[in-house]
Amino acid sequence: MSHQFQKTNLKPWEIELVNKFPLIFLEKSPDVLCYTKDLPDDARVNLRFGFEHGAGWSKLISELAQTGTELVTHLRAQGIDASIHGFICKEKFGHLTWQGNSKLPPFFQKLWYSYVSGIESQSSHTCEVTGEYGTTYRLKNGKPSWNRTLCKEEAQKQGYDPIP
Ligand SMILES: [Zn+2]
């Protein structure tokens, strides 16, 4: 297969994050195993291309993965077959997008979706580069898909304009 789902693709801050939350990022997932038959267990990660966004959002991911881990651990302790696995975690139109597979009882599923959506919303106020307070900026004459959420300093450095 190609280079998908391989731990060697990850930067040091990404490795740190997936190792901190193995239930979410490293636990064997049937959806990923079918693409990674030839990879040894310690070389595989559930993320297709790692974290496809800047390190500034690592605190948002950390919060999301911490809550997901607690939820799954709590449910499993009660004998419930639960899991949350992250597959795609990327920047899109300047905002964080999380795609994963969650196996949870319906009520918890609902709570989890709502929680994830809250974390995604927080990315529109979090600089993708530094993690400081930010807003969504655009490039002059740039497509909306080039928008990025940055702090003022980073936006100026990279030549972005505020969205009027
Ligand atoms: Zn910044």
Side-chain angles (χ1 to χ4, degrees), residues 32-47:
V32 174
L33 280 177
C34 58
Y35 298 107
T36 55
K37 283 193 181 81
D38 304 329
L39 278 182
D41 278 352
D42 60 354
R44 186 190 52 245
V45 64
N46 288 334
L47 292 167

Side-chain angles (χ1 to χ4, degrees), residues 127 129-132 150-151 154:
C127 173
V129 177
T130 62
E132 291 157 24
L150 301 165
C151 61
E154 203 61 40

Side-chain angles (χ1 to χ4, degrees), residues 25-63:
F25 298 115
L26 299 175
E27 184 175 76
K28 280 186 188 178
S29 173
D31 304 276
V32 174
L33 280 177
C34 58
Y35 298 107
T36 55
K37 283 193 181 81
D38 304 329
L39 278 182
D41 278 352
D42 60 354
R44 186 190 52 245
V45 64
N46 288 334
L47 292 167
R48 187 186 57 173
F49 296 121
F51 297 101
E52 302 169 65
H53 55 73
W57 287 351
S58 60
K59 61 177 184 181
L60 297 178
I61 301 302
S62 196
E63 203 182 316

Side-chain angles (χ1 to χ4, degrees), residues 53-54 57 91 93-95 123 126 128-129 135-139 144-151 154-155 158 160-161 163:
H53 55 73
W57 287 351
E91 178 273 333
F93 297 99
H95 305 137
S123 69
T126 310
E128 194 194 330
V129 177
T135 45
T136 306
Y137 288 83
R138 65 173 186 185
L139 273 184
S145 59
W146 299 352
N147 289 357
R148 294 190 74 195
T149 299
L150 301 165
C151 61
E154 203 61 40
Q158 299 196 27
Y160 279 77
D161 294 319
I163 292 176

